[in-house]
Amino acid sequence: SLLQLKLWNKYRVSNIPSLIFIDASTGKVVCRNGLLVIRDDPEGLEFPWGPKPFSEVVAGPLLRNNGQTLDSTALEGSHVGVYFSAHWCPPCRSLTRVLVESYRKIKESGQKFEILFVSADRSEDSFKQYFSEMPWVAVPYADEARRSRLNRLYGIQGIPTLIVLDSKGDVITRQGRVEVLNDIECREFPWHPKPVLELTDSNAVQLNEGPCLVLFVDSEDDGESEAAKQLIQPIAEKIIAKYKAKEEEA
């Protein structure tokens, strides 16, 4: 029915079963990953399962690949890329190779940036092997509860996913993977979302994220695409500002 379709679209359901918790008084989504919640918290001790700040969810020791540990408070004041990945997944491995270079470039440019690896590997050995290629920090593999809480916090549906946070721990973009692959020189870091994008193979995934307006133009060479962009940019900015004021996703 039309109502069912509207609900699927409203909550961006791409696979089933999917369980989403909503605050009935405001209609806002409290938690996208309800299935993980009831698996991790069958007694309902953490009810109503609302989003917690990143600093609270990540709290605890973190690892470097040389065995050194540091406290999660070391992330404070930095932009953070929360990287959900696993060695068994080929797209993850190819993204990691690019990300190592991006990480180096951003650090060398003097910006405060850290990446936190949240593993979906199937064994501690596989985690260690994969993490040995990474110059950043990780949640210890044995701390399954914390890894699961981070998955829940961001409603992770698939890997690789790179979520970029600002220095206060708020999400700048969920599309870190697309941004890194589209901006090899990291000129746009920390990748604040643009109101208008040119559609490419790598960012087309965003068409599944919510309502989109796609404008077709005849050709690039006569400046038509630039004129079209000038036309829709102010409209897009206005829509984004409206949703931001309501603290909702546009």
Side-chain angles (χ1 to χ4, degrees):
S1 77
L2 189 60
L3 177 61
Q4 283 171 314
L5 194 61
K6 276 184 171 169
L7 286 168
W8 277 70
N9 287 338
K10 180 174 173 63
Y11 297 114
R12 301 203 308 273
V13 175
S14 56
N15 49 5
I16 54 171
S18 198
L19 177 61
I20 296 169
F21 293 116
I22 292 156
D23 179 338
S25 58
T26 63
K28 281 189 183 166
V29 172
V30 173
C31 169
R32 289 195 171 280
N33 255 7
L35 294 170
L36 273 182
V37 166
I38 54 177
R39 191 198 74 189
D40 288 356
D41 184 22
E43 305 287 311
L45 302 176
E46 293 178 38
F47 182 82
W49 304 303
K52 295 189 166 79
F54 168 70
S55 57
E56 189 181 316
V57 177
V58 78
L62 303 176
L63 292 179
R64 289 203 178 278
N65 65 15
N66 60 5
Q68 191 190 347
T69 62
L70 66 163
D71 191 75
S72 57
T73 51
L75 300 175
E76 285 169 15
S78 291
H79 283 80
V80 177
V82 190
Y83 184 37
F84 298 85
S85 187
H87 190 262
W88 52 261
C89 144
C92 291
R93 292 200 299 276
S94 53
L95 179 61
T96 297
R97 285 193 289 275
V98 177
L99 200 50
V100 167
E101 286 306 304
S102 303
Y103 177 76
R104 192 176 53 74
K105 283 175 187 153
I106 293 164
K107 300 280 270 193
E108 280 174 4
S109 74
Q111 304 190 72
K112 294 187 81 176
F113 181 50
E114 196 47 77
I115 292 177
L116 174 68
F117 172 40
V118 184
S119 167
D121 287 292
R122 291 175 176 149
S123 71
E124 175 104 35
D125 284 345
S126 165
F127 161 76
K128 281 183 175 149
Q129 183 193 344
Y130 193 28
F131 187 41
S132 71
E133 303 163 21
M134 301 180 184
W136 45 74
V137 298
V139 176
Y141 185 78
D143 195 344
E144 202 176 325
R146 196 161 27 140
R147 289 190 290 125
S148 188
R149 280 199 300 272
L150 284 159
N151 270 281
R152 251 164 54 195
L153 178 62
Y154 298 115
I156 301 303
Q157 306 237 335
I159 55 173
T161 294
L162 177 67
I163 296 193
V164 183
L165 310 178
D166 66 17
S167 54
K168 297 197 295 288
D170 295 326
V171 174
I172 291 176
T173 178
R174 299 178 59 86
Q175 300 291 342
R177 175 194 186 181
V178 171
E179 298 292 355
V180 163
L181 295 176
N182 270 350
D183 179 24
I184 294 298
E185 292 304 314
C186 306
R187 290 199 181 99
E188 306 279 333
F189 176 82
W191 303 301
H192 287 279
K194 295 189 189 71
V196 181
L197 290 174
E198 195 164 307
L199 195 58
T200 64
D201 285 353
S202 58
N203 67 25
V205 61
Q206 296 183 75
L207 295 173
N208 297 324
E209 291 280 300
C212 293
L213 171 72
V214 183
L215 183 60
F216 295 87
V217 292
D218 276 345
S219 68
E220 284 181 42
D221 7 320
D222 54 7
E224 199 176 319
S225 60
E226 195 44 49
K229 189 177 173 182
Q230 300 298 328
L231 180 71
I232 56 177
Q233 180 94 13
I235 300 168
E237 284 172 357
K238 204 190 253 173
I239 291 169
I240 287 169
K242 184 180 110 181
Y243 279 92
K244 208 170 185 169
K246 290 199 283 189
E247 289 182 18
E248 283 177 19
E249 284 183 51

